[in-house]
């Protein structure tokens, strides 16, 4: 028996959860199919998911197809919960991408397919809802080939479209041979010689699918079950088994963390190598932490069961790792955990309602952030405020409902604002010497800030010898530089720069005769941590910084006769169309729009286009803010921009 970790992905409302229910029913895991509308599905277990009829958290359920054990992961479809999808992708052996036969290829479908292709995850396409009025076949296939992948292999045809009797007629036609021959030279030769048999064609299909070169396309209906049997056969025959040596070095990845009934952390992990056992003490987070496994459960026939071990290839729920976080590696790191999707570009302040305890809210938000590492929290102790970063307005509504349902906390939010960044405009340098120029710290620090290429982040270099003072002092400077750059001259994170340490100095450890260490005459790490922000912000002042706002690349497809009404609205939301194309009765506009105006455009588009307009958007780049007043963000630190205020807050040794 071999294992397969399978993801189900789709644009929201394409029928992903309904397909999961049908699959579980078809293989005998459940006796009755749940309905999203009725709130009784297997994988949408959160009360909020059942109430809203959407998937918010990924869920795992296991079943068997003959000798294949499948761990099926149902993921959210709404773009506001893309972080959930991101975490699942790194543990998949294969995927099923669901497309609606009525709506066709949608914005999120394209985003997901591009990512699946970039990661080379073998993917089957299931075109759902062929029984619905308006369902298409030729048009949907054409859209898949044009907008998703030219390597689409139709696995048959659909008959009776738009009726309850709609069904899938399996069979590889000439189009399949054309696609497969483009990726298989031996098959192309056999095609030219006229010696292609069905077995050879199926073998080429399986090989191309497992290499993520081609994508088989099935048609069917999750509601009626049409085509689902053929899809199950494709999952078994075309997707690769989970790899990994159970006797190799221990290596796994945590892709989900939740809280158990007693508040303990439960980690969902995919094992890529080795075998993990109960009571094993393991390292995680790239060996920065360790812990002992107290309990293991694996997924089996629709439920999870306790086991003493979990071998390579399997997904398990692990208890005992109190400090575990999403994205942590278990044992030997398999690869650096990277983000496949853009980080959040919006932010809002959480406002506690009447009677809501601030400490309880802080704890609840911290627990939510543990479950979603792309949601960043920012605490302002001075104003007693907490900000949370977001992908969109729906996510804000879900956070509000989750705080109410799970923690009993009533909150509202301030207006959503864009998360800007700052970049140095030029080069700036500053230095402060021990006991000179009103420097109250027993440290000398000199820093230079230089601009770097966009996307490179923050680099730290030395122009002084590493051995010229204790390493702990250099480390204190570097760590403080990175912390301080979290808030630039305008309050935004400073990035894409190189900070170079140009001067250093310290007073070595001093002590009086027959007495202990004299802190007043000896440098400590606190001196370097205290002085570095003052030097760094002065270097930033001399370099200057520019504020950049997040921009999305958008694509609007709408009836051509609505273009006249659409263009003024695009201008009103500061969208800049860069290309306009007319296809028959449809126009396609592509360009850029500020991230904080995307929601407004989404809301206005249906009314402008008779409900026929389609908007696709995704983060693209940061652009300089050139209009109006530069946006500022309130500081949450000790404000090194104001030297007197900073020194009063940081140290009692205030120089005059």
């Amino acid at each position: 028996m071999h294992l397969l970790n399978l993801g189900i992905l789709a644009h929201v409302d394409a029928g992903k959860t309904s397909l999961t229910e049908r699959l579980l029913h078809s293989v005998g895991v459940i006796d009755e199919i749940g309905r999203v509308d009725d709130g009784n599905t297997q994988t949408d277990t959160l009360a909020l998911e059942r109430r809203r009829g959407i998937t918010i958290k990924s869920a795992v359920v296991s079943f068997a197809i003959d000798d294949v054990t499948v761990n099926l992961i149902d993921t959210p479809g709404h773009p506001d919960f893309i972080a959930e999808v991101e975490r699942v992708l790194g543990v998949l052996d294969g995927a099923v991408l669901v497309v609606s036969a009525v709506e066709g290829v949608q914005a999120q479908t394209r985003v997901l397919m591009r990512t699946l292709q970039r990661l080379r995850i073998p993917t089957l396409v299931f075109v759902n809802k062929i029984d619905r009025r308006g369902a298409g076949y030729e048009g949907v296939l054409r859209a898949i080939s044009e907008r998703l992948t030219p390597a689409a292999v139709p696995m048959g045809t659909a008959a009776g479209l738009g009726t309850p009797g709609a069904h899938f007629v399996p069979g590889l036609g000439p189009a399949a041979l054309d696609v497969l021959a483009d990726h298989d030279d031996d098959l192309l030769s056999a095609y030219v010689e006229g010696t292609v048999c069905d077995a050879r064609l199926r073998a080429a299909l399986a090989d191309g699918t497992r290499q993520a070169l081609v994508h088989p396309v099935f048609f069917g209906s999750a509601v009626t079950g049409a085509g689902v049997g053929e899809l199950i056969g494709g999952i078994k025959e075309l997707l690769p088994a989970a790899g990994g040596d159970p006797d190799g070095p221990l290596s796994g990845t945590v892709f989900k963390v939740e809280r158990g009934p007693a508040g303990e952390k439960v980690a969902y992990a995919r094992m890529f190598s080795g075998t993990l056992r109960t009571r094993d003490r393991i390292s995680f987070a790239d060996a920065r932490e360790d812990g002992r496994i107290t309990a293991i459960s694996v997924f089996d026939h629709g439920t999870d069961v306790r086991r003493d071990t979990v071998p390579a290839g399997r997904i398990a729920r692990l208890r005992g790792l109190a400090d575990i976080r999403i994205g942590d590696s278990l044992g030997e790191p398999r690869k650096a955990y990277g983000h496949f999707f853009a980080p959040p570009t919006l932010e809002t302040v959480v406002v506690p309602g009447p009677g809501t305890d601030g400490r309880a809210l802080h704890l609840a938000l911290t627990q939510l952030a543990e479950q979603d590492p792309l949601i960043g929290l920012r605490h302002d102790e001075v104003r007693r405020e907490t900000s949370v970063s977001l992908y969109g307005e729906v996510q804000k509504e879900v956070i509000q409902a989750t705080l109410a349902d799970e923690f009993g906390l009533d909150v509202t939010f301030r207006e959503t604002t864009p998360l800007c960044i700052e970049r140095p405009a030029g080069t700036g340098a500053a230095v402060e010497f021990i006991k000179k120029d009103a420097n109250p710290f027993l440290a000398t620090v000199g820093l230079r800030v230089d601009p770097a290429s966009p996307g490179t982040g923050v680099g730290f270099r030395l122009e002084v010898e590493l051995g010229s003072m204790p390493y702990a002092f250099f480390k204190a400077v570097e760590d403080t530089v990175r912390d301080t750059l979290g808030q630039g001259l305008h309050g935004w994170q400073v990035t894409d720069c190189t900070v170079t340490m140009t001067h250093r100095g310290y007073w070595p450890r001093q002590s009086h005769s027959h007495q202990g260490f004299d802190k007043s005459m000896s440098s400590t790490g606190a001196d370097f941590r205290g002085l570095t922000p003052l030097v760094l912000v002065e270097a930033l002042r001399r370099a200057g910084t520019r504020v950049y706002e997040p921009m999305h690349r958008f694509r609007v497809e709408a009836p051509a006769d609505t273009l006249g009404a659409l263009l003024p609205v695009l201008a009103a939301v500061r969208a800049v169309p860069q290309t306009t194309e007319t296809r028959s009765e449809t126009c396609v506009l592509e360009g850029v729009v500020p991230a904080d105006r995307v929601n407004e455009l989404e809301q206005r588009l249906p009314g402008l286009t008779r409900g026929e307009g389609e908007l696709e958007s995704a983060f693209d780049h940061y652009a300089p803010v050139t209009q109006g007043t530069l946006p500022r963000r309130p500081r949450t630190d000790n404000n090194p921009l104001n030297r007197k205020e900073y020194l009063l807050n940081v140290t009692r040794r205030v120089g005059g």
Side-chain angles (χ1 to χ4, degrees):
M1 175 173 284
H2 71 250
L3 294 165
L4 169 64
N5 296 299
L6 178 71
I8 303 286
L9 300 93
H11 185 100
V12 66
D13 289 336
K16 197 168 31 57
T17 301
S18 297
L19 177 60
T20 299
E21 291 289 307
R22 174 60 67 176
L23 288 171
L24 296 178
H25 181 267
S26 298
V27 297
V29 170
I30 57 176
D31 296 325
E32 185 176 348
I33 297 175
R35 286 173 47 84
V36 174
D37 293 341
D38 295 339
N40 59 354
T41 59
Q42 289 290 303
T43 52
D44 285 349
T45 56
L46 297 178
L48 183 58
E49 292 178 312
R50 297 182 185 277
R51 190 164 64 246
R52 293 186 64 103
I54 62 173
T55 303
I56 297 169
K57 295 291 183 182
S58 58
V60 183
V61 65
S62 181
F63 60 87
I65 306 175
D66 298 330
D67 63 341
V68 179
T69 297
V70 179
N71 286 323
L72 182 64
I73 307 177
D74 183 22
T75 62
H78 198 286
D80 281 12
F81 309 109
I82 198 67
E84 278 291 318
V85 181
E86 171 179 291
R87 294 192 287 271
V88 170
L89 292 179
V91 304
L92 296 183
D93 304 305
V96 174
L97 181 64
V98 184
V99 177
S100 169
V102 179
E103 288 83 11
V105 174
Q106 295 169 280
Q108 188 72 355
T109 322
R110 299 184 69 194
V111 173
L112 293 169
M113 188 55 148
R114 282 198 298 266
T115 306
L116 289 166
Q117 289 174 321
R118 186 165 65 249
L119 299 176
R120 299 192 65 79
I121 296 174
T123 302
L124 310 181
V125 178
F126 183 75
V127 181
N128 191 25
K129 303 184 181 181
I130 64 170
D131 58 319
R132 297 283 184 89
R133 179 179 299 178
Y137 175 77
E138 295 289 350
V140 175
L141 264 182
R142 185 167 55 252
I144 289 173
S145 296
E146 292 175 354
R147 302 182 63 189
L148 290 184
T149 170
V153 179
M155 299 299 291
T157 59
L161 290 169
T163 70
H167 58 281
F168 182 60
V169 182
L172 293 174
L177 182 57
D178 290 342
V179 173
L180 291 170
D182 286 341
H183 299 276
D184 189 323
D185 292 339
D186 292 339
L187 183 65
L188 179 60
S189 299
Y191 176 39
V192 172
E193 296 168 2
T195 59
V196 177
C197 63
D198 186 65
R200 179 69 184 83
L201 199 59
R202 301 288 301 193
L205 175 64
D207 185 59
T209 303
R210 289 168 184 163
Q211 295 184 59
L213 297 175
V214 300
H215 303 286
V217 181
F218 298 83
F219 281 74
S221 168
V223 172
T224 67
V228 174
E230 288 78 7
L231 175 64
I232 291 173
I235 291 171
K236 175 188 174 183
E237 297 170 12
L238 302 176
L239 294 178
D245 179 7
D247 298 320
L250 186 70
S251 179
T253 298
V254 174
F255 66 92
K256 178 178 179 178
V257 173
E258 63 184 16
R259 293 275 177 173
E264 77 281 13
K265 284 188 179 181
V266 181
Y268 287 65
R270 158 74 190 268
M271 302 307 299
F272 290 98
S273 175
T275 299
L276 186 61
R277 297 172 176 81
T278 305
R279 293 184 294 278
D280 278 356
R281 189 164 195 89
I282 63 169
S283 62
F284 57 90
D286 296 339
R288 294 190 302 272
E289 306 281 352
D290 62 14
R292 189 179 302 279
I293 302 296
T294 59
I296 295 173
S297 56
V298 298
F299 298 92
D300 185 30
H301 205 69
T303 186
D304 60 316
V305 294
R306 287 294 182 97
R307 290 284 188 269
D308 292 328
T309 64
V310 54
R314 296 213 72 146
I315 289 175
R317 285 160 43 104
L318 309 176
R319 285 177 164 82
L321 305 177
D323 297 318
I324 198 74
R325 293 183 62 87
I326 291 169
D328 281 350
S329 54
L330 303 178
E332 292 189 5
R334 176 171 172 260
K335 61 180 180 180
Y337 181 76
H339 295 319
F340 308 130
F341 299 97
T345 54
L346 303 172
E347 184 179 51
T348 185
V349 174
V350 185
V351 181
T356 297
D357 181 70
R359 293 181 180 178
L361 176 59
H362 176 86
L363 179 61
L365 287 170
T366 301
Q367 290 191 13
L368 291 182
E370 285 177 352
Q371 300 171 21
D372 195 338
L374 294 188
I375 290 181
L377 296 182
R378 186 172 184 267
H379 303 290
D380 187 337
E381 297 296 337
V382 176
R383 297 168 185 82
R384 298 188 179 278
E385 294 178 348
T386 300
S387 302
V388 59
S389 55
L390 302 166
Y391 279 102
E393 295 298 314
V394 172
Q395 189 180 17
K396 186 163 68 174
E397 296 170 18
V398 168
I399 291 173
Q400 182 181 36
T402 302
L403 290 171
D405 293 350
E406 297 186 15
F407 301 94
L409 300 174
D410 176 31
V411 303
T412 56
F413 299 92
R414 291 191 192 153
E415 182 182 2
T416 302
T417 56
L419 266 174
C420 299
I421 63 169
E422 294 181 49
R423 290 175 175 148
T427 295
V431 60
E432 294 209 21
F433 297 94
I434 293 178
K435 290 300 183 182
K436 289 184 179 180
D437 301 322
N439 174 11
F441 301 101
L442 298 184
T444 293
V445 174
L447 298 171
R448 185 179 68 248
V449 177
D450 295 293
S453 301
T456 56
V458 175
F460 183 80
R461 298 191 302 114
L462 297 177
E463 280 187 359
V464 294
E465 292 185 10
L466 185 59
S468 58
M469 71 177 183
Y471 173 74
F473 295 166
F474 285 114
K475 188 70 167 63
V477 172
E478 180 177 359
D479 290 346
T480 306
V481 162
R482 297 187 184 278
D483 289 343
T484 305
L485 289 178
Q487 301 180 74
L489 303 182
H490 302 277
W492 305 103
Q493 180 181 7
V494 182
T495 187
D496 301 333
C497 64
T498 300
V499 179
T500 303
M501 189 170 185
T502 58
H503 297 74
R504 58 94 195 110
Y506 74 106
W507 283 3
R509 185 181 181 94
Q510 303 287 332
S511 61
H512 295 295
S513 178
H514 309 297
Q515 295 182 8
F517 168 53
D518 186 353
K519 185 178 179 181
S520 67
M521 299 175 61
S522 309
S523 299
T524 67
D527 288 297
F528 287 89
R529 287 190 293 271
L531 180 59
T532 296
L534 291 173
V535 178
L536 182 57
V537 297
E538 182 58 31
L540 279 176
R541 273 199 184 102
R542 296 174 182 179
T545 64
R546 293 193 180 101
V547 178
Y548 292 72
E549 63 179 332
M551 303 293 291
H552 280 220
R553 177 157 294 281
F554 75 86
R555 181 182 187 276
V556 171
E557 187 170 326
D561 61 356
T562 65
L563 183 61
L566 190 56
L567 288 176
V569 173
L570 290 175
V573 298
R574 295 174 50 216
V576 180
Q578 295 172 330
T579 62
T580 304
E581 180 182 356
T582 302
R583 303 172 182 171
S584 184
E585 298 179 355
T586 301
C587 67
V588 178
L589 293 87
E590 295 187 5
V592 293
V593 60
D596 61 326
R597 308 303 293 272
V598 171
N599 183 61
E600 181 181 350
L601 183 56
E602 285 177 337
Q603 292 178 332
R604 299 185 66 175
L605 187 64
L608 297 167
T609 61
R610 303 188 296 273
E612 299 178 42
E614 177 186 317
L615 171 67
E616 175 185 342
S617 74
F619 171 77
D620 188 67
H621 67 284
Y622 288 94
V625 176
T626 57
Q627 299 182 13
T629 305
L630 286 178
R632 303 187 72 89
R633 195 186 197 195
R635 301 191 72 89
T636 60
D637 58 7
N638 291 308
N639 192 18
L641 293 173
N642 184 321
R643 185 182 184 92
K644 183 176 180 180
E645 175 187 338
Y646 176 83
L647 292 175
L648 286 171
N649 288 328
V650 171
T651 180
R652 295 177 182 176
R653 295 185 296 178
V654 180

